[in-house]
DNA sequence: GTCTATAGGGGGATAGAC
DNA sequence: GTCTATCCCCCTATAGAC
């Protein structure tokens, strides 16, 4: 599974063969097929294994913040932080998948594979909806349409940031640091807060 | 080439075979290989054919705006508009590649294929540098690091927006319209201007 | 330049022994 | 459950006739 995570993240679904994978993991090809039934099922399982706990943490954090805040919505910066922090934590921690799972999630959002649609919308759409309900309370000036466009901009920025985080050091000749998780997180939170609180026009 | 553009955009490089492609285009497989030498070369050619004119328009527009503005930098909203409008124009016009080339470009930024690196950095990096020089004059409050992070956020938002534009109607149950090019463009410009002009902290 | 035919190498999945 | 061996498919690329 760890090997699959890495190879799928680096080369994509179609760019990775079960043979490479079995070699890398030092397991037998037939055994792998026996356990996972098919390449598609393995791919889905690799994603599922990580996405579930991450979204659980996100939703629990949000629920807790909403309860603590009583009638008012929790501060927007907190909400954004709760929404994105688990991805950065996963990126930092190899035991949670490290950069590979984050890259793979970012990739699976961009790369439209027919069999991932259901999993991704089941796992992400409901989470995004919950967060949207809270964020919306901080952005009453926006029409639903304008809100959804801005949400799409923020999601795109997040996906791109997570997918390229490990290269930012090289891409900027050291100006941006790939290992400054708290700094990047804080920058992103300020960015997203700014986007949602900007005037409707 | 048109068939290749569509298939590569929808299924990626590894997900598209020269056979599908030859069938779709109603040409002979061997003939296609004769003209393009290899699948990689074809892929690069498909991208190159569109990226060159698009970046030419972007750079010409910028140059002209800079000349007209004299000593002052051209207004930030204009600069952003010049930077992104050509992509929306291409999306609208099937003769310029339509949504397929835009999807393919968005995809090629996410999907790291070893042989596209040189082309993409040659074509995009220099363009991005020119625009950055002008945008930077409107964002003197930002450190180089903060500027590059925000640029990365905006690029990610653009890439995601372009890649999913054709689905926005469905994804939002009709609230956002995929065919409202001027509206989306205007929203994105306001978004990006807001990001670059927001306080440093 | 364009075709048919095929070389030569993977690919995913499975049968059947252990 | 785990292995070896193999089926059968599709792939890219090319040779060689026209």
């Amino acid at each position: 599974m760890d090997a699959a995570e890495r190879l799928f993240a680096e080369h994509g679904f179609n760019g990775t063969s079960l043979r490479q994978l079995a070699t890398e993991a030092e397991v037998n090809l037939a055994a792998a097929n026996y356990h996972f039934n098919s390449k598609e099922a393995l791919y889905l399982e690799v994603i599922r294994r990580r996405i579930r706990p991450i979204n659980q943490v996100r939703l629990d954090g949000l629920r807790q913040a909403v309860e603590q805040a009583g009638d008012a919505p929790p501060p927007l910066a907190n909400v954004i932080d709760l929404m994105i922090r688990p991805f950065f934590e996963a990126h930092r921690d190899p035991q949670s998948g490290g950069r590979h799972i984050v890259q793979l999630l970012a990739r699976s959002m961009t790369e439209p594979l027919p069999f991932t649609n259901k999993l991704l919308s089941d796992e992400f759409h409901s989470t995004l909806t919950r967060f949207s309900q809270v964020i919306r309370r901080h952005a009453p000036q926006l029409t639903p349409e304008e809100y959804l466009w801005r949400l799409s901009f923020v999601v795109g920025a997040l996906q791109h940031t997570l997918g390229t985080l490990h290269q930012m050091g090289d891409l900027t000749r050291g100006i941006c640091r790939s290992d400054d998780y708290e700094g990047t997180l804080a920058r992103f939170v300020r960015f997203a807060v700014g986007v949602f609180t900007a005037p409707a026009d």
Side-chain angles (χ1 to χ4, degrees), chain A residues 139-158:
Chain A
Q141 82 282 15
L142 305 179
T143 62
E145 184 183 7
E146 178 72 22
Y147 171 74
L148 287 171
W149 279 114
R150 293 193 191 184
L151 179 63
S152 170
F153 298 156
V154 170
V155 167
L158 178 61

Side-chain angles (χ1 to χ4, degrees), chain A residues 2 5 50 89-99:
Chain A
D2 291 342
E5 194 165 78
R50 305 296 194 182
E89 302 281 5
H91 200 286
R92 190 208 314 253
D93 178 17
Q95 283 223 321
S96 307
R99 72 179 173 90

Side-chain angles (χ1 to χ4, degrees), chain A residues 21-180:
Chain A
L21 224 152
T23 306
E24 184 88 6
E26 295 179 38
V27 299
N28 182 276
L29 172 61
N33 249 310
Y34 172 81
H35 283 291
F36 296 109
N37 294 322
S38 76
K39 186 183 177 183
E40 286 190 13
L42 169 59
Y43 189 79
L44 291 174
E45 198 49 40
V46 167
I47 294 183
R48 214 191 322 260
R49 174 174 71 141
R50 305 296 194 182
I51 205 178
R52 287 265 161 88
I54 286 178
N55 276 337
Q56 201 57 52
V57 169
R58 295 168 85 207
L59 285 174
D60 288 349
L62 181 64
R63 197 173 301 121
Q64 199 178 335
V66 168
E67 281 171 17
Q68 278 188 8
D71 282 348
L76 182 54
N78 285 14
V79 176
I80 306 283
D81 185 283
L82 290 166
M83 184 165 81
I84 68 174
R85 180 175 291 274
F87 294 112
F88 285 85
E89 302 281 5
H91 200 286
R92 190 208 314 253
D93 178 17
Q95 283 223 321
S96 307
R99 72 179 173 90
H100 298 119
I101 189 59
V102 172
Q103 265 184 277
L104 182 55
L105 290 175
R107 189 166 196 147
S108 64
M109 285 196 267
T110 306
E111 202 168 285
L113 296 167
F115 53 89
T116 53
N117 286 348
K118 194 187 174 319
L119 175 62
L120 291 176
S121 71
D122 282 2
E123 298 291 333
F124 276 129
H125 192 266
S126 67
T127 307
L128 201 57
T129 304
R130 300 280 186 94
F131 274 93
S132 271
Q133 287 168 357
V134 182
I135 296 172
R136 232 24 214 106
R137 298 180 63 185
H138 289 282
Q141 82 282 15
L142 305 179
T143 62
E145 184 183 7
E146 178 72 22
Y147 171 74
L148 287 171
W149 279 114
R150 293 193 191 184
L151 179 63
S152 170
F153 298 156
V154 170
V155 167
L158 178 61
Q159 181 218 10
H160 185 255
T161 302
L162 293 172
T164 62
L165 184 53
H166 70 288
Q167 313 178 47
M168 275 302 275
D170 296 330
L171 287 175
T172 63
R173 284 192 269 252
I175 296 173
C176 298
R177 291 179 47 193
S178 294
D179 59 349
D180 179 19

